[in-house]
Amino acid sequence: MACSCGNDNSDKIGVVTPFENEEDEIHFVTKTDVIKFPEFLSDKESISRFSRLVHTSFDYEKTNSETEDEISVDGGYKCDVAFSGVNLYRFIYNGNYGVVDDIGNVKLQGVYSSIRQLRPELFELVYNGKATYATLDEDNNFVFVEDDSVKWVFEKNKLEITQATIEAGDNVTEVPEGVKYHLKTPDGKIVYDRSFDSIAETSKDTLGIECEIVFTAYSGGSCFYIVFDEFYNYKVYEGSYGNVKVQIGEDKGECFILSYEHLLQVLSLFSCFDFEQNSAVTPTENVIQFDFNSGKNAQTMYSISDNGYCEIVSPADDGLSFVTTKYKVSSECFADVIDWIDSVLSTEYTFE
């Protein structure tokens, strides 16, 4: 990067570099004036506050989606769905369904009008209009459920927030300092197998996501959305720490900062700039804007232009108004920020 914490803001233009060859040539090192718009910002459909998925307990929709390309299994079975976490496949027989493994062993005869995997350990089977449920044994054989042991899966919104505990010898005691919290499903299992500083239910309408229920959880400086479907399967997304808007010429785009580590990186980058208070400089059409919404930088906005114009809007001491301060920094700082957006922030929106 051109701008560093050493605050060396020389523009490096016209620096003579000795180079010995047969013609004793002199080479000049010059910086490029071409600043490219980060291409990933053009793919607006892939950018959302739920772009950074960090954990999935089970993807119900993906597992039960019929594929246009049928799966061939030894024994001549034509299968349309591969179940998750096991080498089992749904095959079609006379308009009904059965289950076969990857070497052609039939696990369920083709007599069911519907076969769905509801959770990693639970299947729903419909025969003659009646639904029954089955789990798998260690050999991937179906074991039909004949009691109420899976009833909890269908009891809606029975998630529980509990205070984390630690084990001390034969006793279980509450954490004495820095109290943590668990989120538990109705079967008593800890969600995401970790504790949080705080957990609270959040309106799914506010977040604009289709789900059964969603929680917002915080751990250290990190924020997470925990999103549940109707069978208590869940996905964990890292939350948003701010918005970034970029305009270079006629190209415009914006995205979120979805990694706490990346938030710390860009704040560190800004702290390295040599800010000179200057109200005379004015912004250009090439501008980057950071609008932070997390931690001590919440509600602080940075704007930087390619001519070195920088504006910082931050909350006033009274907490009711905002203070705007204009600065001049090296023009190379703009290129540094663009490079960080293109090489680092873009990784949050990389899909395989």
Side-chain angles (χ1 to χ4, degrees), residues 219-249:
S219 179
S222 299
C223 171
F224 300 94
Y225 298 122
I226 308 174
V227 180
F228 291 85
D229 69 16
E230 60 181 318
F231 305 117
Y232 293 102
N233 303 304
Y234 61 89
K235 296 179 180 179
V236 182
Y237 302 88
E238 189 160 4
S240 170
Y241 305 95
N243 299 73
V244 182
K245 296 180 180 180
V246 179
Q247 177 173 345
I248 297 178

Side-chain angles (χ1 to χ4, degrees), residues 50-340:
F50 297 100
S51 292
R52 189 173 176 84
L53 178 65
V54 296
H55 178 78
T56 303
S57 70
F58 175 75
D59 194 332
Y60 170 81
E61 293 296 337
K62 183 177 180 180
T63 299
N64 293 279
S65 296
E66 296 183 6
T67 176
E68 294 181 359
D69 300 323
E70 291 185 334
I71 305 165
S72 295
V73 175
D74 289 347
Y77 295 94
K78 294 297 183 180
C79 306
D80 64 343
V81 167
F83 293 118
S84 177
V86 288
N87 294 321
L88 296 178
Y89 306 86
R90 188 178 73 181
F91 69 85
I92 307 170
Y93 179 75
N94 288 339
N96 289 317
Y97 298 106
V99 176
V100 65
D101 66 17
D102 56 345
I103 58 174
N105 295 318
V106 175
K107 298 294 185 176
L108 285 177
Q109 295 295 327
V111 296
Y112 296 93
S113 59
S114 173
I115 299 177
R116 296 190 299 166
Q117 186 179 11
L118 305 184
R119 294 176 50 81
E121 76 285 1
L122 183 64
F123 288 75
E124 179 192 71
L125 318 171
V126 179
Y127 177 72
N128 284 340
K130 182 180 179 181
T132 57
Y133 300 93
T135 59
L136 297 174
D137 64 16
E138 59 184 11
D139 296 319
N140 284 343
N141 294 314
F142 285 83
V143 180
F144 287 88
V145 178
E146 298 179 351
D147 54 23
D148 292 332
S149 59
V150 300
K151 183 179 179 181
W152 66 270
V153 175
F154 308 99
E155 296 176 350
K156 304 305 179 187
N157 301 339
K158 296 293 184 179
L159 290 153
E160 182 183 10
I161 298 172
T162 63
Q163 188 169 310
T165 58
I166 58 173
E167 294 186 5
D170 295 331
N171 300 318
V172 177
T173 60
E174 294 181 351
V175 178
E177 296 181 2
V179 177
K180 303 289 185 178
Y181 298 91
H182 288 147
L183 183 61
K184 291 184 178 181
T185 48
D187 59 344
K189 292 185 178 180
I190 297 174
V191 171
Y192 197 27
D193 197 27
R194 66 179 294 172
S195 59
F196 298 93
D197 298 328
S198 65
I199 308 172
E201 184 178 346
T202 306
S203 170
K204 59 184 179 181
D205 295 331
T206 300
L207 295 178
I209 185 171
E210 292 185 8
C211 62
E212 187 70 20
I213 189 170
V214 58
F215 289 79
T216 301
Y218 294 89
S219 179
S222 299
C223 171
F224 300 94
Y225 298 122
I226 308 174
V227 180
F228 291 85
D229 69 16
E230 60 181 318
F231 305 117
Y232 293 102
N233 303 304
Y234 61 89
K235 296 179 180 179
V236 182
Y237 302 88
E238 189 160 4
S240 170
Y241 305 95
N243 299 73
V244 182
K245 296 180 180 180
V246 179
Q247 177 173 345
I248 297 178
E250 295 182 354
D251 293 319
K252 296 181 181 180
E254 59 183 288
C255 66
F256 301 91
I257 300 174
L258 299 174
S259 162
Y260 184 62
E261 179 182 350
H262 292 167
L263 170 67
L264 297 180
Q265 282 184 15
V266 74
L267 290 175
S268 177
L269 178 62
F270 273 109
S271 70
C272 293
F273 295 166
D274 186 11
F275 291 95
E276 175 186 346
Q277 195 160 337
N278 189 328
S279 59
V281 65
T282 57
T284 68
E285 65 175 4
N286 296 331
V287 62
I288 309 166
Q289 178 179 305
F290 287 82
D291 192 356
F292 299 109
N293 57 27
S294 179
K296 65 180 181 180
N297 298 287
Q299 297 183 305
T300 299
M301 184 176 69
Y302 286 74
S303 295
I304 183 170
S305 295
D306 60 350
N307 65 345
Y309 169 85
C310 185
E311 179 180 288
I312 301 177
V313 180
S314 56
D317 293 338
D318 60 13
L320 301 174
S321 57
F322 291 86
V323 176
T324 300
T325 310
K326 297 180 181 180
Y327 296 94
K328 177 72 170 67
V329 297
S330 167
S331 59
E332 292 184 355
C333 294
F334 181 88
D336 282 349
V337 177
I338 284 291
D339 179 66
W340 180 86

Side-chain angles (χ1 to χ4, degrees), residues 28-47:
F28 291 85
V29 177
T30 59
K31 68 176 184 180
T32 178
D33 291 328
V34 178
I35 297 176
K36 295 183 178 179
F37 180 78
E39 291 185 4
F40 80 97
L41 292 176
S42 300
D43 186 9
K44 296 179 175 56
E45 291 185 359
S46 68
I47 294 175

